[in-house]
Amino acid sequence: MNDSQYITRRDLLASAAALACGVSTQRGYATLNNQVKPKSVAAVISIYEPGTHADVLIGKILEGWKQDGGPGPALKLSSLYVDQVSDRDLSRGMAEKYNIPVFDTIEKTVTVGGDQIPVDGVISIGEHGDYPFNEKGQQLYPRRRFFKEITDTFRKYERVVPVFNDKHPGPVWNDAKWMYDRAREMKIPFMAGSSLPLTYREPEIKVPPGSEIEAAVGIGYSGLDIYGIHALESFQCLVERRRGAETGVKWVQYLEGDAMWAILDQGIVSQALFDAALAEVPKVREGDVRKDPDAGLFLFEYKDGFMGAVFMLQSVNRTSVALKLKGQPQPLATQFEERTEPAHPHFAYLLKAIERMFHTGQPSYPVERTLLTSGILDRTLNSRFQGGKKLQTPELAIHYQHVDYPHAPLPDLSSNPSLPLPE
């Protein structure tokens, strides 16, 4: 591959300076200073129906942050690939409305039907759709296939551009690691992950980088794979702020029933922190949470000895984390909100991070966070499949440097949609 095809440092500095002046969309609107030319995007999507991740991400590129025709990101959709088309499909109507070409292969989508790569970034959304499940309960979305075909196209046409992979790569560990390794080998700016680390937090809590976090407990809900990644990403985006982090995880274990609650009774995990996290999430079942027949625990130990505990409960319907900071007598706890109006706004903050990467050529935060949470999730599901066996995880010795990237409502897109995120 010709080095001249890579994004250069001059390109990065120029685009970062431009982004600092404000942004504009294909619809055009006033910015703080100057207009910035939108970056072009190719979208590779599993399915595009109302309320899917494709709808609440790509829909914001086409129709603005609130999907009402108003201001939006400085991005322009140039091409579209949809793997499955249902009777609820939105892609054909949206493509016709906004004059977006729809292609039948990923290569044609990335090249926009030509013989070069004219786009500035690729969004890959392998989420939702009719795909099989494996014996561990993981739905085998085509995220690796999508990424392989995208990056094969990069190789063929000797140019790379940034790629965002929605949710966790994989979802099985071997596929996640393959995707990560290929991105590094080809020097592709690569981001992935959940929208929840970027969402509203109620209440706001202050956890400065380098904090002495003594313990933490997370609570998640719904399916172990589909929502477990959201719970783990929420947990990790806070505990990665502890002093000396992040060096990875040395073992994982899945527990349920009496064995799960014994972890609290024996003091291995703090009951006070569990209670604090539980107090922040709405309940959908009355009574003692310990009688939740479908509850499970992701238990894992980091290489530095810090204990990770994420309780997956079916008696609640939101995600929370509680922390114990050294010198503070009371736990800090917060809920990671999932608002639906207007147009699932937490996805606007995820798209803001993607927009920033496409303009600067640099990930807004480390993909290693999502690689680590993907590995924790996959290995914990392995433990569950093996009857709760504790599994050593030398492959999860993943090091990365935390980036202090802000979350909603900083900036408040609804009042100042053109404001770029601070460095």
Side-chain angles (χ1 to χ4, degrees):
M1 186 175 292
N2 190 333
D3 286 342
S4 66
Q5 302 298 323
Y6 287 112
I7 296 171
T8 67
R9 176 173 174 78
R10 180 180 296 174
D11 294 333
L12 297 183
L13 293 174
S15 58
L19 189 61
C21 294
V23 298
S24 67
T25 71
Q26 55 197 13
R27 291 166 302 285
Y29 61 92
T31 62
L32 296 180
N33 293 304
N34 301 319
Q35 295 287 328
V36 171
K37 183 180 178 181
K39 295 293 185 180
S40 60
V41 177
V44 176
I45 295 166
S46 55
I47 197 166
Y48 193 163
E49 295 180 347
T52 60
H53 286 202
D55 181 20
V56 298
L57 283 171
I58 303 306
K60 288 175 173 51
I61 296 176
L62 294 173
E63 299 190 316
W65 299 119
K66 298 181 181 181
Q67 294 179 240
D68 60 358
L75 300 173
K76 177 179 67 176
L77 188 64
S78 295
S79 56
L80 189 61
Y81 169 86
V82 182
D83 203 48
Q84 297 180 353
V85 177
S86 72
D87 58 5
R88 300 178 67 237
D89 177 69
L90 291 177
S91 66
R92 272 45 183 178
M94 295 290 273
E96 182 177 359
K97 181 177 180 180
Y98 292 102
N99 195 29
I100 307 299
V102 180
F103 295 98
D104 60 359
T105 70
I106 291 174
E107 179 180 332
K108 290 178 184 176
T109 305
V110 175
T111 62
V112 196
D115 59 1
Q116 61 179 335
I117 297 175
V119 298
D120 300 303
V122 180
I123 295 179
S124 179
I125 305 176
E127 178 73 5
H128 303 290
D130 183 16
Y131 297 95
F133 289 81
N134 65 14
E135 68 279 1
K136 296 187 295 182
Q138 294 167 300
Q139 191 162 11
L140 301 177
Y141 290 116
R143 295 169 189 157
R144 174 171 172 166
R145 171 167 64 86
F146 284 3
F147 193 72
K148 181 180 187 302
E149 294 187 34
I150 291 165
T151 55
D152 283 350
T153 304
F154 291 173
R155 279 186 165 157
K156 180 175 179 179
Y157 295 93
E158 297 188 313
R159 181 175 183 239
V160 304
V161 297
V163 178
F164 173 77
N165 175 91
D166 184 45
K167 289 187 70 175
H168 50 313
V172 298
W173 168 253
N174 288 344
D175 289 350
K177 186 63 163 56
W178 183 91
M179 293 167 67
Y180 175 76
D181 288 344
R182 172 165 274 209
R184 291 195 54 162
E185 171 200 350
M186 295 180 65
K187 301 179 182 177
I188 299 167
F190 186 37
M191 280 175 58
S194 164
S195 61
L196 288 197
L198 299 139
T199 194
Y200 306 83
R201 299 177 191 176
E202 182 59 39
E204 281 287 341
I205 59 174
K206 292 184 178 180
V207 186
S211 292
E212 293 191 61
I213 304 176
E214 296 182 336
V217 170
I219 287 179
Y221 71 105
S222 191
L224 295 180
D225 181 49
I226 189 172
Y227 267 82
I229 190 62
H230 293 306
L232 287 166
E233 288 260 276
S234 300
F235 185 84
Q236 185 63 27
C237 80
L238 289 176
V239 302
E240 70 183 8
R241 303 171 78 88
R242 71 192 186 279
R243 180 173 295 179
E246 182 55 66
T247 59
V249 166
K250 62 183 178 182
W251 60 258
V252 306
Q253 188 173 21
Y254 179 84
L255 296 170
E256 58 188 10
D258 291 343
M260 167 186 176
W261 301 116
I263 295 297
L264 292 176
D265 296 337
Q266 295 168 9
I268 297 171
V269 172
S270 166
Q271 178 74 53
L273 284 182
F274 174 81
D275 292 342
L278 185 63
E280 297 300 332
V281 290
K283 316 301 186 294
V284 295
R285 294 181 189 170
E286 297 297 329
D288 186 354
V289 69
R290 293 192 178 215
K291 295 182 179 179
D292 183 342
D294 302 312
L297 170 61
F298 299 160
L299 188 68
F300 44 100
E301 185 179 348
Y302 291 85
K303 289 191 67 183
D304 62 2
F306 191 83
M307 186 66 70
V310 174
F311 291 79
M312 296 297 294
L313 307 179
Q314 306 313 311
S315 54
V316 305
N317 68 348
R318 284 295 181 266
T319 301
S320 64
V321 177
L323 306 169
K324 173 64 173 70
L325 299 188
K326 185 176 181 179
Q328 295 192 15
Q330 298 301 319
L332 295 177
T334 189
Q335 179 196 141
F336 290 74
E337 292 191 0
E338 297 174 57
R339 300 183 185 180
T340 57
E341 297 296 335
H344 297 83
H346 49 295
F347 280 93
Y349 290 92
L350 175 60
L351 184 59
K352 191 70 179 174
I354 298 167
E355 174 198 42
R356 180 173 175 172
M357 177 174 70
F358 289 172
H359 276 268
T360 66
Q362 293 292 325
S364 298
Y365 41 80
V367 73
E368 286 82 4
R369 176 209 289 161
T370 304
L371 181 69
L372 179 59
T373 55
S374 300
I376 295 169
L377 178 60
D378 179 81
R379 284 356 198 179
T380 306
L381 294 176
N382 282 349
S383 170
R384 178 175 182 259
F385 188 67
Q386 297 177 41
K389 181 180 179 182
K390 181 187 288 188
L391 301 179
Q392 301 298 314
T393 55
E395 68 276 19
L396 300 186
I398 297 168
H399 297 241
Y400 69 91
Q401 180 62 48
H402 159 71
V403 170
D404 198 25
Y405 188 85
H407 57 272
L410 299 171
D412 183 351
L413 298 179
S414 63
S415 64
N416 197 348
S418 65
L419 182 64
L421 291 169
E423 294 296 334

